[in-house]
């Protein structure tokens, strides 16, 4: 819902004219969703460090999409700019600050005018997983000083969410209730826009 609102408001051209890059594309679920909004498959680019993920994305999207395995900071992505870049649960897997900055600079350079970075990532550390590190709002601002954030706290911690999902209707009610408590929401979700010229509304809240 948040993503759809941001995509429809951030781009001044029709969906069939925009180009999309998904960094850490996984099995291509988000790129497939962008295709369902009207973005041509030939305008979709996915990159992931895992060979099995890129193979799954190619199988899902077909040969018209460009899907590459490698480091998004180093490889040729086929274009000098994109209208939308997707970055879901990527930066929390990068522990080194300099590596985070390098990727953030690459993303900023790849975003065209009024380009939109769609973002989801953790704002808390996971005490049971030392291979991830939180990305709070203050760090997002430092990583992307040229972008304006439209981000919201969403989602309960995954272990709690999975537990509640097993409880059927009662779990659904419990999730909705607990999700009303801001400090229980573990993800920052939304987008960052490069040089916006008009305000965004309807589900997109600018971070102050």
């Amino acid at each position: 819902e948040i993503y759809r609102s941001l995509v429809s408001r951030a781009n001044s051209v029709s969906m069939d004219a925009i180009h999309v890059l998904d960094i850490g594309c996984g099995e291509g679920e988000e790129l497939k969703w962008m295709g369902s909004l009207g973005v041509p498959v030939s305008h979709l680019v996915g990159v992931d460090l895992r060979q099995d993920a890129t193979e799954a994305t190619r199988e899902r999207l077909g040969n018209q999409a460009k899907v590459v395995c490698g480091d998004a900071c180093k490889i040729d992505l086929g274009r000098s700019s994109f209208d939308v870049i997707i970055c879901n649960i990527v930066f929390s897997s990068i522990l080194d600050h300099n590596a985070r900055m390098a990727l953030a600079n690459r993303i900023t350079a790849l975003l065209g005018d009024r380009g939109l970075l769609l973002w989801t990532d953790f704002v808390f550390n996971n005490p049971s997983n030392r291979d991830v590190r939180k990305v709070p709002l203050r760090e997002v601002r430092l990583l992307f000083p040229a972008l304006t954030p439209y981000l919201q706290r969403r989602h309960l911690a995954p272990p709690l969410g999975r537990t509640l999902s097993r409880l059927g209707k009662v779990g659904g009610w419990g999730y909705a209730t607990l999700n009303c408590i801001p400090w229980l929401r573990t993800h920052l979700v939304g987008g960052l826009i490069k040089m916006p010229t008009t305000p965004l509304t309807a589900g997109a809240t600018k971070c102050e």
Side-chain angles (χ1 to χ4, degrees), residues 20 31 40-46 57-58 60-68:
V20 179
L31 288 174
V41 176
S42 60
H43 290 192
L44 302 176
V45 178
T57 299
R58 289 192 193 98
R60 170 172 278 184
L61 298 179
N63 294 329
Q64 286 186 305
K66 179 181 177 67
V67 184
V68 289

Side-chain angles (χ1 to χ4, degrees), residues 157-180:
L160 178 57
R162 288 192 293 269
T163 299
L164 292 171
S165 68
R166 292 193 289 267
L167 301 178
K169 291 183 178 180
V170 173
W173 175 85
Y175 190 102
T177 301
L178 293 177
N179 203 33
C180 292

Side-chain angles (χ1 to χ4, degrees), residues 120 153-158 175 179 182 184-189:
T120 296
R153 287 274 292 276
R154 291 290 184 98
H155 310 316
L156 298 179
Y175 190 102
N179 203 33
L184 290 179
R185 301 174 192 156
T186 57
H187 294 68
L188 204 57
V189 180

Side-chain angles (χ1 to χ4, degrees), residues 109-131:
L110 285 170
L111 277 176
D113 291 340
R114 291 190 58 79
L116 169 65
L117 171 61
L118 293 177
W119 178 276
T120 296
D121 222 321
F122 296 104
V123 295
F124 295 117
N125 286 326
N126 183 345
S128 64
N129 186 355
R130 294 185 179 181
D131 292 327

